């Protein structure tokens, strides 16, 4: 027994705890280890922060109460180091004897989302003023005897985690209270004080701990059988979410129960499942490996009494702030499904939850926009982690690659890397957040990567295949168009980054590249009716033509021709479709953009599935693995806020921003857009003769607002009941609303913070 007097937590810069564990062979995998210690506490503090690390996941109990359900991020912040968690344990402590127990799960192999350290161990430290709780030789440990390996099918090679096999006959129900029996506890071995190999330096977890729902009954709980007839029990979830299933049963010993979701083969290859072997009598069990899907399928042998079936949702801890609704239910459903998809694509990283759980940065670029328009501030932490991961895993030769973190992947996808460091990636994050410190951090990596690219004699890029020469799923890909457009946008972002970070000497070189691409792109690729490169011997590519618009390579004289291309060519996957749809709004054709959005997303919106798909179909009808949950398909969420509601930053961090709604055929829009300055609310209603627009402008901002004109023209505009424009002339003055001008589309105003109701007749 250790006597510890607790006081207020003081942040330390140096670790004093030791990495501890039980020795194991280097080839050991799927290792579950229980750790335990007991402490006598004289005074319970208001706060007591514990710092905890392991490879790969852990669960923490204090005094028998579960404190952390699935702690630890997958390795690592860079190719060498490890994350640690920080958890306030004070609410779980009591005066007198306290027990601390940790269960660790060591995968022991690399994945597309994890770098294996090679050793199972635990690090635990709670700095308490002059005293310390720390992992050291006083702790005890044991291999948990109930966990083991399943037979096939096994998770595919992209996943480092294993299926979970749990044999309740070998369980030690009270181990986390110190009761292991038969002298099962062993003395631990110390591997040293950090930083020490193989975990090296430790970096504090940059994202929150998971939001934990606790155990919840299924949607169809009342219809679930109470005695199994041998058929698979299908328990319905409210939507596609990440969960850990639970059961309470009365059963004989030695039966096997298989637990998986409908998404077990999501993306065409096996992900994870659990098998539970029963003991005699009443028993309960919750698997610790998270799954996702619309339903949980329990294969329970005949005759077993089913007392309870429940689930626990654990998800990234961000709340939905963004709202978008219109008078067309199609777009409302598409927004909701985009958000549901985003919800299950946030976890250890910005990642899909199915066969890979990997942070592909082409996907992350699209999800970045969705996070900024839909989530609270915790969502931005996921973006920050993703950005840091990308640059901190940069190779010595300057190559950027994703997914990272990763252990069994290191190939560059050049087009995705250009998207990441360019207009829609790093720079877009800065536009919405004004995070100058992050831009200073990433600029050297951006500069090094851009230097890897070369120009040919024609003034355009020499094709860079990288490790995987991939630009999109599907056929008829015009590589030269897409690649030059992405590099052009990366150069323009680099110019702005260099200016922001005080690297003006680099700007001239970037400008030379910008000028070369712009002039030669149009000279060599524009044929009078569309963009098509000489190397493209197939049909015209909608991707390249849409990307030319969003990059600013196509001027307005080409818009009508490009619109015709985009209304007849449909080759892009949902990944590139986002940029094609965006090009319609940039060209001022909201009606065309919304019409194409309806055509492309019709099957996803009509489907009973609550998340969006990797391709236009699922399974063999889709691209890649045919997953029914893929974050890149949620791009319409961003477009609805940015263009349909028309809300986007002008100055960094929304110091100034635009409200320029593009309604197309819509007549009603209601939206809430979260920003670093506060929420922007818009409520617009239009009839043939009247338009009302109510907005909330946050403090310390200014809005550049365009009120869409009616077809019948404008006779007068009032704000908060006061007429400010009548028959094209200002009528009086308003201290907070200033009329600027009008064109064929809008009447423009500068609007100060406050609540404003505009009416146009």
């Amino acid at each position: 027994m250790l006597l510890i007097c607790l006081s207020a937590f003081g942040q330390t810069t140096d670790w004093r705890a030791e990495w501890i564990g039980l020795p194991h062979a280097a080839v050991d995998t799927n290792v579950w280890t229980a750790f335990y210690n007991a402490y006598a506490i004289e005074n319970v503090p208001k706060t007591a922060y514990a710092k905890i690390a392991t490879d790969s996941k852990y669960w923490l109990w204090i005094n028998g109460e579960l404190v952390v359900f699935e702690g630890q991020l997958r390795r690592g912040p860079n190719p060498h180091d490890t994350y640690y968690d920080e958890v306030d344990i004070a609410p779980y402590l009591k005066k007198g004897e306290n027990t601390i127990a940790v269960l660790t799960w060591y995968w022991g192999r690399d994945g597309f989302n994890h770098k294996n350290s090679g050793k199972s161990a635990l690090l635990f430290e709670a700095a308490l003023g002059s005293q310390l709780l720390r992992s050291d030789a006083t702790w005890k440990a044991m291999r948990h005897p109930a966990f083991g390996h399943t037979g096939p099918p096994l998770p595919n090679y992209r996943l480092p985690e294993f299926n979970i096999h749990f044999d309740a006959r070998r369980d030690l129900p009270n181990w986390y209270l110190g009761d292991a029996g038969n002298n099962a506890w062993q003395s631990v071995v110390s591997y040293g004080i950090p930083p020490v190999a193989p975990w090296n330096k430790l970096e504090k977890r940059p994202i929150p701990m998971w939001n934990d729902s606790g155990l919840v009954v299924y949607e169809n709980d009342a219809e679930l059988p109470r005695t199994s007839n041998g058929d698979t029990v299908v328990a319905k979830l409210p939507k596609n979410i990440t969960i850990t299933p639970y059961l309470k049963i009365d059963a004989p010993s030695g039966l096997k129960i298989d637990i998986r979701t409908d998404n077990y083969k999501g993306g065409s290859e096996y992900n994870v499942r659990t098998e539970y072997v029963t003991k005699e009598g009443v028993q309960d069990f919750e698997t610790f490996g998270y799954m996702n899907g619309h339903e949980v399928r329990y294969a329970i042998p005949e005759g077993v009494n089913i007392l309870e079936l429940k689930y626990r949702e654990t998800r990234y801890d961000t709340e939905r702030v963004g709202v978008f609704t219109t008078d067309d239910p199609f777009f409302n459903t598409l927004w909701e499904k985009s958000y549901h998809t985003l919800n299950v694509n946030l976890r250890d990283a910005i990642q899909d939850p199915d066969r890979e759980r990997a942070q592909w940065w082409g996907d992350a670029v699209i999800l970045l926009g969705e996070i900024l328009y839909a989530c609270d501030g915790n969502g931005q932490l996921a973006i920050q982690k993703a950005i840091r991961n990308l640059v901190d895993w940069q190779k010595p030769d300057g190559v950027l690659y994703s997914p990272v973190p990763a252990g069994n992947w290191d190939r560059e996808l050049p087009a995705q890397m250009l998207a990441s460091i360019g207009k829609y990636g790093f720079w877009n994050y800065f536009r919405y957040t004004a995070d100058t410190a992050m831009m200073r951090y990433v600029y050297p990596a951006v500069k090094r990567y851009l230097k890897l690219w070369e120009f040919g004699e024609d003034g355009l890029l020499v094709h860079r295949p990288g490790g995987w020469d991939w630009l999109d799923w599907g056929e008829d890909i015009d590589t030269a168009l897409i690649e030059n457009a992405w590099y052009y946008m990366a150069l323009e972002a680099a110019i702005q980054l260099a200016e922001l970070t005080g690297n003006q000497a680099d700007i001239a070189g970037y400008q030379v590249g910008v000028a070369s691409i712009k002039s030669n792109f149009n000279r060599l690729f524009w044929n009078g009716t569309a963009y098509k490169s000489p190397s493209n011997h197939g049909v015209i590519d909608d991707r390249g033509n849409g990307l030319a618009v969003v990059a600013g390579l196509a001027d307005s004289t080409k818009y009508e021709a490009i619109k015709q291309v985009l209304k007849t060519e449909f080759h892009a996957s949902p990944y590139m479709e986002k940029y094609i749809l965006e090009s319609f709004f940039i060209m001022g054709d909201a009606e065309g953009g919304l019409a194409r959005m309806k055509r492309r997303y019709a099957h996803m919106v009509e489907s009973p599935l609550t998340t969006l798909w990797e391709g236009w179909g699922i399974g063999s009808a889709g691209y890649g693995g045919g997953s029914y949950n893929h974050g890149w398909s949620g791009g319409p969420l961003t477009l609805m806020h940015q263009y349909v509601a028309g809300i986007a930053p002008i100055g960094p961090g929304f110091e100034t921003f635009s409200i320029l709604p593009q309604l197309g055929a819509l007549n009603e829009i209601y939206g809430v857009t979260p920003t670093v300055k506060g929420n922007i609310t818009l409520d617009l209603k239009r009839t043939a003769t009247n338009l009302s627009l109510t907005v909330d402008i946050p403090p310390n901002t200014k809005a550049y607002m365009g009120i869409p004109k009616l077809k019948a023209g404008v006779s007068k505009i009032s704000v908060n009941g006061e007429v400010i424009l009548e028959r094209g002339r200002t009528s009086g003055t308003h201290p907070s609303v200033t009329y600027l001008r009008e064109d064929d589309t809008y009447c423009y105003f500068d609007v100060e913070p406050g609540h404003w109701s505009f009416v146009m007749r």
Side-chain angles (χ1 to χ4, degrees), residues 74 107 110-114 155-161 263-272 290 292 345 348-361 363 402-406 408-409 411 413 416 468 473 614 623-627 629-632:
R74 301 163 190 263
W107 299 326
D110 292 333
F112 275 25
N113 51 33
H114 176 73
N156 75 85
Y157 70 96
R158 301 171 183 85
L159 298 178
E161 55 261 68
N263 196 46
Y264 173 54
K265 206 174 180 181
S268 79
E269 296 185 68
Y270 295 113
N271 47 67
V272 295
Y290 81 85
N292 82 286
N345 274 261
D348 292 58
I350 300 174
Q351 61 186 57
D352 73 86
D354 301 329
R355 74 183 187 279
E356 296 176 332
R357 301 183 175 183
Q359 188 165 249
W360 297 97
W361 247 96
D363 306 43
S402 71
V404 286
N408 56 355
W409 177 275
R411 288 184 282 164
L413 282 80
Q416 286 204 11
W468 183 11
W473 293 129
E614 182 172 3
Y623 299 116
S627 166
N629 180 90
H630 219 73
W632 70 21

Side-chain angles (χ1 to χ4, degrees), residues 88 124 130 187 221 228 253 274 466 483 511 518 601 638 653 736:
D88 182 10
F124 182 97
S130 61
S187 297
D221 179 67
S228 175
S253 177
T274 290
E483 196 168 51
Q511 289 174 332
K518 186 152 193 176
Y601 279 89
T638 300
S736 300

Side-chain angles (χ1 to χ4, degrees), residues 459-471:
L460 295 171
L461 290 177
V462 176
H463 176 56
R464 181 178 174 81
W468 183 11
D469 195 2
W470 186 95
L471 291 92

